[in-house]
Amino acid sequence: MAMRGRRLPAFAATHTARQRLLPALGQHTKLARRWQSTVGTGKTGHIEAKADESILFVDNLFPLKLSSLLLWRPWKAQNDVPELLKKFDKTSLGVFDPVSLVKRAIPDSLSVNITEVIPRTKEGGAYVKFTHPGDTSASEIQAKLSQALEQNPIKPWFSPFRGISTGLVLGRPWLEDLYRLPKSRLRVEFVPAKDSEQPDELSQEALYSVFRRYGWIADITSQPPDSKVLPKFAYVDFVLVKDAIMARNCLHGFVLQEEGSKAATKLRLSYEQRVKPHNIWKWISSHPRIVIPILAAFLATFTVIVFDPIREFFVKHHVQRSLEFTNSKLYKWLKRQTSDILSLGKKHGSDAGLNALFNHRKDLIDSIKSSLLESVDTFVVIQGPRGSGGKELVMDQVLEGRKDVLVLDCKPVMEARGEAGTIRKLAFQVGYRPVFSWANNLSSLVDLAIQSTTGVKAGFSENLEAQVVKILQTTASALKEVSLAGRKKEDQDANLSDDAYLEAHPERRAVVVIDNFLHKSEEKGIIYDKVSDWAAALVQSNVAHVIFLTTDTSYSKPLSRALPDRVFHQVTLGDLSPQVAKQFVVSQLEANARSDEKAKEDEKGGDGSPLKTDSQGRQDLQELDECIEALGGRLTDLQVLARRLKVGQSPKKAVSDIIEQSASEILRMFLLTGNKTAGEGVDKERKWSVEQAWYLIKEIAKNDSLRYNEVLLANTFASSTTSSATNPEAALEALANAELITVKSHHGRPATIRAGKPVYQAAFAKLLEDKVVKSRMDLALLTELSKIEAKNIDKAEQELTVLAGLPNAPAQASDRVNYLLGKLQASQRKIEGFDKEMGALKKVLAEEA
């Protein structure tokens, strides 16, 4: 209001002052028109001054940031702001009117006459056109005006620390309304003053002398001498933006001639965005050998600090099953409320059969349970053929009701495609999350790009081995926390260290069950090596008990390497005896019959008569002994038999279907696979041949068991013509892993060979009964034997040719010649015999459908 008070006497000044300000203030419509003049006189973009007129530029009349608020309408900013300020003038805020600031800035002592005021909103100032007496120059007037403003500064409301300043316009201002905001850097272009003249490039000294009067100059940068950009230019960097604004508005279009130059030069000024020097980024990009390892270490540290605790949390709760809905109180309450309503008889049938099996294996179950209560740093290894019930024995009996159990199934991990899939499956098995398996592929590309450009391996990506080790180490840390979760400060041995406590309380340790160990071990053996080492570290540090479930008889090799000088607790599961097998099948049938009868009685209301079991009502079960003798005691086969009997099949029909199905499976997987591995969809060399598989099938069908060494000496194994099956022991091991055969050991060495499953014995015989299959396979076998004998003949002939070339036919070589001739004759007789047999087989194939 004080400022408002000072404005009233100003309008009551002398008549001369009124006449001097009248052209600028005039009527309201004329004032509005002149405030809206943004492109100069005649809309040419320049301000035209008469001979007796001069122009001043007054800055700090508008806030510079005001144009930033009108970014969405920059082309109308010149018009909108004066209109806004005129509205202020009509109210009590008229003190903020820039016209009053201009009027106050020009003292009455200056005999000047203001003819026009042209605002420059985006530059925060205005051009003031005035006339002055002829005896006073414009420079003198500007000097007096600057001295007056220095003695009595006028500070606008938005700038309490800096007052208004003025500058005499020396050039020809360009009133462009482009969207170019003021900057502290000016681009000074040297253009010709006349079209016929060539402008001279001003030196830095000349530029300094011209621009220094407007403020502090930070730097002057001349155009590079090799630059071909026209017109020539230079950069003038001011310390403050306001100084650059003053210089640009006062010197744009200024014509000068440097001393010693022939032609005059006109200055064309424009604002330029200064490129900030990125010194930090420049140093980083120029020192990749230092920065990249530091960045990799930082990322690794960040991962450890942020993600590892989260992953340990999820692994811990995965082991404890605390986040599963089945362990929640709500689920347990619902289960108690609905247990009498829902029928669970189907499950009881399976449980009854397994209980009969577990009663037979009670000694094995007790021995495994006792080992989990002892502080012995070794593994428990349960080995048995597929379908022998090893996993059910461990999970349903040994670990029944036990908490803190981690099951690691190797099968989905080994069957996953690619490294990313393997990592994802392994992480899922142990509850390791979050896992960014896809990020490693991206990191590998980045690592490759950095290495190809800088020659330094960044180390962002990790190979499969490193990622597996990382997951297993995190799992080990979580397992230790799980094992120590029940420890309390009130315990008598609370003063013991963690390791000593776990050693003293083996019953508190978590249990790790590694299922399907060595499944497809030839493909990703590194995973089994790391899992074995991890399991050895768990048992040696007393963190957890480890149980291995495997069908591979060669499990001792990787486990002995990981845990040497230790005796494993080995449990071997075999097929059930006929008596136990029959009891298993009958118990499942009886449990199923009781469930069905009870359901019927509940529907009818019940008459109190005793329940009639399935084994009592079916007369065909008398032939069960004979059928089980042919089927064998493999648990999976017995379960299939029980299911078929439940649906009403007779035992003979059920066993016949099972044998026929097994024969078809053998035919598809081992005899008609061509050059593809059984079960695989891509070409892959096997370690056995079709002829070797047929030889074993044929011989085992005739004899229940074969001597191991006798098979090794057979021509089909010893001299196989298949390139991938030349190693007979590797071929037998591969066929054993494929479960076509089973190799029995005696005193630690392989002794006998039997069918892979008991039902395969009958399936082998079934295949021999098929004339077409037998003739086709025998023909292939005889063809290979003929090739073997042909090779023997070729070798004998080559050696005889060498001996025939000896000079004078030495008598010492006669015995060798006779031996080779006899061998050649024997091979020829065998080939002739094979040809006769092959002819008969071809006749069968031609006649049989």
Side-chain angles (χ1 to χ4, degrees):
M1 293 302 294
M3 295 179 65
R4 179 77 174 176
R6 289 180 60 187
R7 186 182 179 191
L8 294 177
F11 280 101
T14 61
H15 177 73
T16 302
R18 289 193 185 97
Q19 294 296 326
R20 181 162 46 88
L21 291 173
L22 184 59
L25 301 177
Q27 297 178 357
H28 179 72
T29 57
K30 185 176 181 181
L31 177 64
R33 182 173 62 253
R34 286 178 177 172
W35 270 107
Q36 295 174 359
S37 177
T38 63
V39 293
T41 306
K43 303 298 182 180
T44 62
H46 295 87
I47 302 178
E48 302 294 341
K50 299 178 181 179
D52 60 343
E53 288 182 334
S54 298
I55 303 175
L56 288 174
F57 183 77
V58 184
D59 72 344
N60 209 24
L61 295 179
F62 308 101
L64 285 177
K65 300 298 182 180
L66 188 60
S67 57
S68 300
L69 300 177
L70 304 173
L71 289 177
W72 60 283
R73 298 176 71 190
W75 56 90
K76 293 188 177 181
Q78 300 280 13
N79 296 336
D80 293 345
V81 175
E83 293 294 334
L84 179 64
L85 294 176
K86 285 189 301 181
K87 293 179 181 179
F88 288 163
D89 188 37
K90 296 179 181 178
T91 63
S92 60
L93 297 176
V95 69
F96 299 124
D97 190 349
V99 174
S100 65
L101 295 177
V102 174
K103 182 177 67 66
R104 292 167 52 199
I106 300 177
D108 296 337
S109 60
L110 293 178
S111 56
V112 297
N113 185 23
I114 300 176
T115 60
E116 189 176 6
V117 179
I118 303 174
R120 294 293 292 165
T121 310
K122 69 177 181 179
E123 293 176 310
Y127 288 105
V128 178
K129 187 186 297 186
F130 66 95
T131 59
H132 55 86
D135 58 346
T136 306
S137 66
S139 300
E140 293 177 355
I141 293 176
Q142 195 275 334
K144 292 179 181 179
L145 182 58
S146 298
Q147 184 178 4
L149 290 176
E150 185 176 355
Q151 294 175 355
N152 299 307
I154 298 176
K155 300 177 180 180
W157 62 271
F158 55 83
S159 180
F161 302 104
R162 186 171 70 87
I164 294 174
S165 61
T166 62
L168 181 63
V169 177
L170 303 178
R172 188 186 183 195
W174 181 33
L175 302 183
E176 42 80 19
D177 53 358
L178 304 176
Y179 186 63
R180 296 177 181 176
L181 298 180
K183 306 293 179 184
S184 62
R185 164 171 283 196
L186 291 178
R187 179 186 173 98
V188 183
E189 296 181 349
F190 310 113
V191 297
K194 298 180 180 180
D195 296 338
S196 61
E197 297 179 351
Q198 185 69 23
D200 291 337
E201 182 179 359
L202 300 182
S203 63
Q204 293 189 1
E205 292 85 353
L207 291 174
Y208 182 84
S209 64
V210 173
F211 285 89
R212 178 62 182 84
R213 69 188 70 177
Y214 298 103
W216 290 96
I217 297 177
D219 192 14
I220 298 177
T221 306
S222 300
Q223 185 178 6
D226 57 346
S227 176
K228 298 182 180 180
V229 178
L230 294 177
K232 297 291 186 179
F233 65 91
Y235 289 121
V236 179
D237 295 320
F238 285 91
V239 176
L240 299 177
V241 177
K242 74 178 187 64
D243 298 335
I245 294 174
M246 182 65 73
R248 194 259 181 189
N249 286 279
C250 292
L251 293 178
H252 181 82
F254 178 56
V255 179
L256 74 161
Q257 185 173 358
E258 192 175 4
E259 184 178 356
S261 62
K262 297 180 180 181
T265 302
K266 181 189 289 187
L267 303 182
R268 188 164 65 194
L269 308 182
S270 60
Y271 297 113
E272 187 85 6
Q273 178 67 46
R274 182 185 300 181
V275 180
K276 297 181 180 179
H278 301 283
N279 295 326
I280 297 177
W281 174 251
K282 183 177 179 181
W283 185 90
I284 290 174
S285 59
S286 60
H287 296 80
R289 296 177 181 271
I290 299 175
V291 174
I292 292 176
I294 293 177
L295 182 60
F298 173 77
L299 291 177
T301 304
F302 177 80
T303 302
V304 170
I305 295 175
V306 176
F307 289 108
D308 279 10
I310 299 175
R311 289 162 175 166
E312 286 188 13
F313 169 82
F314 280 110
V315 173
K316 179 180 177 182
H317 287 276
H318 175 78
V319 175
Q320 295 177 331
R321 304 290 192 273
S322 56
L323 299 180
E324 290 186 0
F325 177 70
T326 54
N327 289 330
S328 63
K329 294 182 179 180
L330 176 61
Y331 175 81
K332 293 179 180 178
W333 179 82
L334 291 174
K335 187 177 180 180
R336 288 195 302 268
Q337 300 299 320
T338 59
S339 59
D340 296 335
I341 302 174
L342 298 179
S343 175
L344 302 178
K346 294 184 179 180
K347 186 176 178 181
H348 293 334
S350 177
D351 292 342
L354 290 176
N355 290 333
L357 172 63
F358 295 147
N359 291 333
H360 174 66
R361 294 176 173 175
K362 190 174 184 307
D363 295 338
L364 296 178
I365 295 172
D366 292 340
S367 65
I368 298 174
K369 284 184 176 180
S370 62
S371 66
L372 299 180
L373 299 176
E374 299 174 358
S375 183
V376 181
D377 50 351
T378 187
F379 301 138
V380 177
V381 183
I382 301 176
Q383 190 275 329
R386 186 177 59 180
S388 57
K391 186 174 182 180
E392 292 80 1
L393 182 141
V394 172
M395 301 304 299
D396 297 340
Q397 292 296 311
V398 177
L399 301 178
E400 183 183 13
R402 180 158 185 157
K403 299 180 180 179
D404 305 339
V405 177
L406 174 63
V407 180
L408 173 56
D409 192 353
C410 299
K411 185 176 180 179
V413 177
M414 301 304 294
E415 292 180 350
R417 294 185 178 181
E419 292 187 0
T422 302
I423 294 301
R424 186 168 56 253
K425 291 295 184 181
L426 178 60
F428 176 77
Q429 290 294 319
V430 299
Y432 181 93
R433 63 176 66 90
V435 56
F436 309 109
S437 56
W438 53 269
N440 194 58
N441 296 332
L442 181 61
S443 301
S444 300
L445 297 178
V446 175
D447 203 355
L448 181 61
I450 293 176
Q451 186 176 3
S452 60
T453 54
T454 65
V456 179
K457 188 173 183 180
F460 291 118
S461 61
E462 295 179 332
N463 55 19
L464 178 62
E465 179 181 353
Q467 295 183 81
V468 170
V469 170
K470 185 177 180 180
I471 292 175
L472 295 179
Q473 286 179 348
T474 304
T475 305
S477 301
L479 286 172
K480 187 172 183 178
E481 294 183 8
V482 169
S483 300
L484 294 171
R487 191 177 184 185
K488 299 179 180 179
K489 296 182 179 180
E490 296 80 11
D491 295 340
Q492 295 180 355
D493 49 4
N495 57 340
L496 294 177
S497 63
D498 292 342
D499 295 338
Y501 177 82
L502 291 175
E503 184 177 5
H505 296 277
E507 73 281 358
R508 296 287 182 87
R509 303 177 200 168
V511 179
V512 178
V513 179
I514 301 177
D515 193 15
N516 289 312
F517 184 66
L518 297 182
H519 175 74
K520 292 187 178 181
S521 58
E522 68 279 357
E523 297 182 5
K524 302 174 184 176
I526 186 65
I527 295 181
Y528 286 121
D529 293 339
K530 295 306 174 184
V531 169
S532 301
D533 294 340
W534 170 68
L538 291 179
V539 298
Q540 287 180 327
S541 57
N542 298 316
V543 172
H545 300 286
V546 180
I547 300 176
F548 285 94
L549 298 175
T550 180
T551 60
D552 199 319
T553 56
S554 60
Y555 64 86
S556 60
K557 295 179 182 179
L559 295 185
S560 298
R561 183 195 57 79
L563 198 62
D565 303 328
R566 293 290 189 278
V567 178
F568 306 139
H569 185 174
Q570 303 178 18
V571 176
T572 302
L573 300 179
D575 297 325
L576 302 179
S577 62
Q579 182 178 0
V580 177
K582 180 180 178 180
Q583 184 180 357
F584 173 80
V585 174
V586 171
S587 60
Q588 283 199 325
L589 294 176
E590 289 180 347
N592 183 72
R594 291 193 186 95
S595 177
D596 294 342
E597 290 290 336
K598 185 176 181 181
K600 293 179 181 179
E601 289 296 327
D602 291 339
E603 292 178 0
K604 296 179 180 180
D607 54 1
S609 60
L611 296 177
K612 186 176 182 180
T613 65
D614 203 3
S615 60
Q616 294 172 345
R618 294 185 55 170
Q619 301 296 327
D620 55 6
L621 290 183
Q622 296 178 359
E623 58 190 25
L624 192 59
D625 293 337
E626 180 182 354
C627 294
I628 289 180
E629 188 71 27
L631 185 63
R634 187 64 53 91
L635 181 60
T636 52
D637 295 333
L638 295 174
Q639 289 175 333
V640 172
L641 174 62
R643 285 194 294 269
R644 288 179 176 271
L645 294 178
K646 289 177 184 178
V647 297
Q649 278 190 338
S650 64
K652 286 187 176 182
K653 174 60 177 176
V655 171
S656 176
D657 290 346
I658 293 173
I659 293 174
E660 186 174 352
Q661 183 179 359
S662 299
S664 300
E665 179 183 344
I666 295 169
L667 187 65
R668 178 178 56 84
M669 295 180 63
F670 298 98
L671 302 180
L672 301 179
T673 57
N675 292 325
K676 295 183 179 180
T677 301
E680 297 291 336
V682 294
D683 289 340
K684 181 178 178 183
E685 287 194 355
R686 305 163 303 192
K687 295 182 180 179
W688 51 271
S689 66
V690 174
E691 292 78 12
Q692 290 172 341
W694 177 250
Y695 174 84
L696 293 173
I697 291 172
K698 185 176 180 180
E699 296 300 323
I700 293 176
K702 299 176 182 178
N703 308 294
D704 291 345
S705 63
L706 304 176
R707 286 186 288 272
Y708 185 84
N709 294 321
E710 180 184 2
V711 174
L712 294 179
L713 296 175
N715 286 338
T716 307
F717 283 89
S719 305
S720 177
T721 58
T722 304
S723 60
S724 61
T726 54
N727 187 343
E729 291 191 276
L732 289 175
E733 183 178 357
L735 288 170
N737 290 335
E739 297 187 352
L740 178 67
I741 60 173
T742 299
V743 180
K744 301 292 183 181
S745 300
H746 179 69
H747 296 304
R749 62 173 178 81
T752 58
I753 299 175
R754 301 179 64 90
K757 294 195 296 185
V759 71
Y760 277 4
Q761 184 70 36
F764 292 167
K766 185 77 173 178
L767 290 174
L768 291 181
E769 294 175 0
D770 190 332
K771 292 183 179 181
V772 175
V773 173
K774 183 177 182 300
S775 298
R776 179 178 175 180
M777 293 297 105
D778 283 344
L779 182 61
L781 181 60
L782 291 174
T783 301
E784 183 179 47
L785 293 177
S786 296
K787 291 179 181 179
I788 295 172
E789 297 301 331
K791 285 185 177 181
N792 293 335
I793 292 176
D794 289 340
K795 292 179 181 179
E797 289 176 346
Q798 291 175 5
E799 190 171 352
L800 287 172
T801 302
V802 173
L803 292 176
L806 295 176
N808 300 325
Q812 292 84 355
S814 60
D815 292 340
R816 182 63 179 174
V817 171
N818 293 331
Y819 169 77
L820 292 174
L821 291 173
K823 190 173 183 181
L824 189 149
Q825 184 180 12
S827 297
Q828 180 61 30
R829 289 177 179 175
K830 289 182 180 179
I831 291 176
E832 292 174 357
F834 295 154
D835 287 342
K836 291 180 181 180
E837 294 183 27
M838 291 166 63
L841 294 174
K842 291 179 181 179
K843 184 178 179 181
V844 173
L845 292 175
E847 296 176 352
E848 295 290 338

